[in-house]
Amino acid sequence: MEKNIFVTRPLLPPLKEFIPYLENIWESQHLTNGGPYHQQLEKDLADYLGVEHLCLFSNGTLALLTAFQVLGITGEVITTPYSFVATAHSLLWNGLTPVFVDTDPDTFNLDADKLEQAITPATTAILPVHCYGIPCNTRKIEELADAYGLKVIYDAAHAFGVKQDGVSVLRQGDLSILSFHATKVFNTIEGGAIICHDAKMKQRIDYLKNFGFVNETTVVAAGINGKMNELQAAYGLLQLQHIDKALDDRGRLCRHYNRLLADIPGISPISVPDGVTWNYAYYPIIVSEDFALTRDELYELLKGNRIMARRYFYPLISSFFMYKFADSAKKENLPVAHQLADKVICLPLYPGLEEEVQHKIAGLIQLASVSPPFPAASSL
Ligand code: T4K
């Protein structure tokens, strides 16, 4: 039976390579709470990513929640509607008010040129997302943040290993958060991290992710349980040994898609800005009016052929009921984000995806472009 082709598959190192880690964990009986693999992974990831300090978490959402806690953010936070819903949920969980700003049509990120008009006396921070791993306009965002005294927390869930002019994008802003969910470029099954720039901040984040404990008898804050366990950390250390090859594979597969889809009218891949070392986290394409099908028709066509492409990010966060009543969530305030949410589809991309499957996907898109499988309404 033909199998489904998913939008992503986890980077899974050979099982036999994981066994020695498990044996060590069983031997030590140290399962969680800052064990040796946890400490090693924090150090090795910081080195690999080229950042000063990294605090591991049990998932990216808890890392986001904690980032706002540690900075003591209050009031309004400016963010993007074009992201995974956890981005804005982290604000609501902290009692903060999300203010949505429209999307840049080229990078799919928060449009830095529309940022200033959203700043009010209640604004205290900006939460941009490096969507699909493509960096935001960090220069403009941080200039405005400096001018208005705002904190910047980057949701870098997709941006593992991404660089701008040779420097990690994670070095920008006050804090950045990563997700190591199974569907991500680098995964610890579930997992995440906060990147910060000084040891004192790391210490405070470490307290907060462990209930606020400083030692056996002292609690300095109403912390949470955000700790990564030893199995996840060991799995992360093993992943690190395979990550460079996985990134190479992703790059090769993206370039292959680019070639296969190059001449299809109305289909265009995302463009990577100059100076960016991308991590090929997703392969989004824009399905424009020049294509024979709508994005949703293409989604159904692929699904009917067991290609489980995904409409990341549709619906927009601002369309969900807990957000949609805000002024900034109104459709007329977010025209580009709405267009993208209606036109973008992410094609399958993961290490191990066979080129022959890419040919099948491109073949279906090509065929639809010349002889659409759906009759036009006027011919019915
Ligand atoms: N900020 C941003 C910008 C994010 O994108 C995310 C997460 C977060 C914050 C929060 O970080 P975490 O708390 O998650 O660490 C997935 C992921 O669950 C989510 O982590 C991710 N973003 C989001 C973009 O995608 P779904 O609902 O699309 O996942 P799901 O289960 O439908 O998986 C997609 C496909 O992947 C499946 O059809 C098959 C394949 N898959 C999935 C899993 C879980 C596998 O092959 N194996 C697996 O174990 O949300």
Side-chain angles (χ1 to χ4, degrees):
M1 196 180 76
E2 241 190 295
K3 58 183 188 335
N4 288 343
I5 303 297
F6 294 107
V7 67
T8 186
R9 299 300 268 168
L11 173 58
L12 264 181
L15 182 58
K16 66 174 187 318
E17 294 182 18
F18 194 42
I19 304 294
Y21 291 91
L22 291 177
E23 285 171 349
N24 285 342
I25 293 170
W26 256 243
E27 176 70 25
S28 73
Q29 299 186 32
H30 200 149
L31 301 185
T32 186
N33 286 7
Y37 282 138
H38 179 284
Q39 286 176 36
Q40 188 67 43
L41 185 61
E42 284 200 338
K43 188 179 164 311
D44 289 3
L45 272 177
D47 289 349
Y48 181 84
L49 294 169
V51 297
E52 289 296 316
H53 299 282
L54 182 148
C55 311
L56 288 172
F57 276 78
S58 45
N59 60 60
T61 304
L62 279 168
L64 264 176
L65 290 179
T66 307
F68 292 100
Q69 286 283 323
V70 78
L71 294 175
I73 302 296
T74 56
E76 293 177 3
V77 177
I78 298 174
T79 191
T80 170
Y82 192 77
S83 180
F84 189 61
V85 72
T87 305
H89 279 1
S90 70
L91 300 175
L92 287 196
W93 270 67
N94 272 303
L96 301 166
T97 305
V99 174
F100 297 106
V101 161
D102 203 11
T103 309
D104 175 285
D106 297 322
T107 62
F108 302 11
N109 289 321
L110 187 152
D111 188 339
D113 292 331
K114 296 183 181 159
L115 185 55
E116 191 166 15
Q117 66 206 46
I119 298 173
T120 74
T123 310
T124 56
I126 310 169
L127 171 61
V129 178
H130 301 304
C131 191
Y132 308 130
I134 302 286
C136 302
N137 184 346
T138 53
R139 189 185 48 77
K140 180 90 194 256
I141 290 171
E142 286 171 43
E143 270 172 21
L144 282 169
D146 287 347
Y148 286 88
L150 307 175
K151 300 284 187 197
V152 182
I153 298 102
Y154 286 106
D155 181 339
H158 303 173
F160 184 94
V162 173
K163 292 181 186 157
Q164 279 175 309
D165 300 322
V167 178
S168 171
V169 75
L170 303 170
R171 296 181 77 94
Q172 303 290 340
D174 292 280
L175 301 173
S176 291
I177 76 97
L178 286 166
S179 165
F180 304 147
H181 182 261
T183 54
K184 296 296 191 295
V185 167
F186 170 91
N187 85 86
T188 55
I189 306 173
E190 292 272 2
I194 300 181
I195 312 302
C196 62
H197 314 307
D198 67 80
K200 202 167 160 200
M201 176 63 79
K202 173 162 170 49
Q203 177 87 92
R204 292 175 57 213
I205 295 168
D206 285 345
Y207 293 155
L208 275 180
K209 78 175 189 194
N210 186 27
F211 312 99
F213 274 114
V214 171
N215 57 40
E216 221 176 298
T217 52
T218 314
V219 172
V220 288
I224 200 162
N225 183 357
K227 292 170 273 114
M228 177 180 279
N229 68 51
E230 283 294 276
L231 276 84
Q232 287 172 282
Y235 187 79
L237 286 167
L238 178 56
Q239 288 258 322
L240 261 187
Q241 295 174 26
H242 294 268
I243 190 67
D244 286 336
K245 160 103 178 43
L247 288 167
D248 284 351
D249 285 353
R250 284 177 172 277
R252 178 180 51 75
L253 291 163
C254 283
R255 288 187 290 277
H256 196 49
Y257 268 138
N258 287 346
R259 282 192 296 274
L260 292 172
L261 301 173
D263 297 325
I264 305 182
I267 297 289
S268 39
I270 197 165
S271 51
V272 182
D274 288 345
V276 170
T277 311
W278 192 31
N279 62 359
Y280 317 98
Y282 294 84
Y283 192 82
I285 54 169
I286 303 183
V287 182
S288 75
E289 286 83 6
D290 297 337
F291 190 65
L293 305 183
T294 65
R295 186 279 310 271
D296 288 344
E297 287 168 346
L298 178 60
Y299 168 80
E300 293 298 341
L301 172 71
L302 293 172
K303 199 167 159 187
N305 285 276
R306 315 194 77 138
I307 309 295
M308 304 304 182
R310 289 293 285 267
R311 289 167 291 186
Y312 295 130
F313 288 99
Y314 166 84
L316 292 178
I317 301 178
S318 48
S319 304
F320 292 118
F321 81 88
M322 59 296 273
Y323 300 104
K324 72 177 186 186
F325 300 106
D327 256 10
S328 69
K330 288 194 178 129
K331 193 168 179 180
E332 60 265 32
N333 293 326
L334 305 168
V336 178
H338 275 274
Q339 271 202 4
L340 292 175
D342 288 344
K343 292 195 182 321
V344 172
I345 189 163
C346 292
L347 298 182
L349 176 66
Y350 47 89
L353 177 68
E354 289 141 351
E355 289 195 356
E356 155 194 335
V357 175
Q358 290 187 288
H359 280 268
K360 177 180 167 182
I361 295 169
L364 283 165
I365 299 175
Q366 172 75 52
L367 200 61
S369 79
V370 288
S371 64
F374 297 95
S378 56
S379 68
L380 289 175

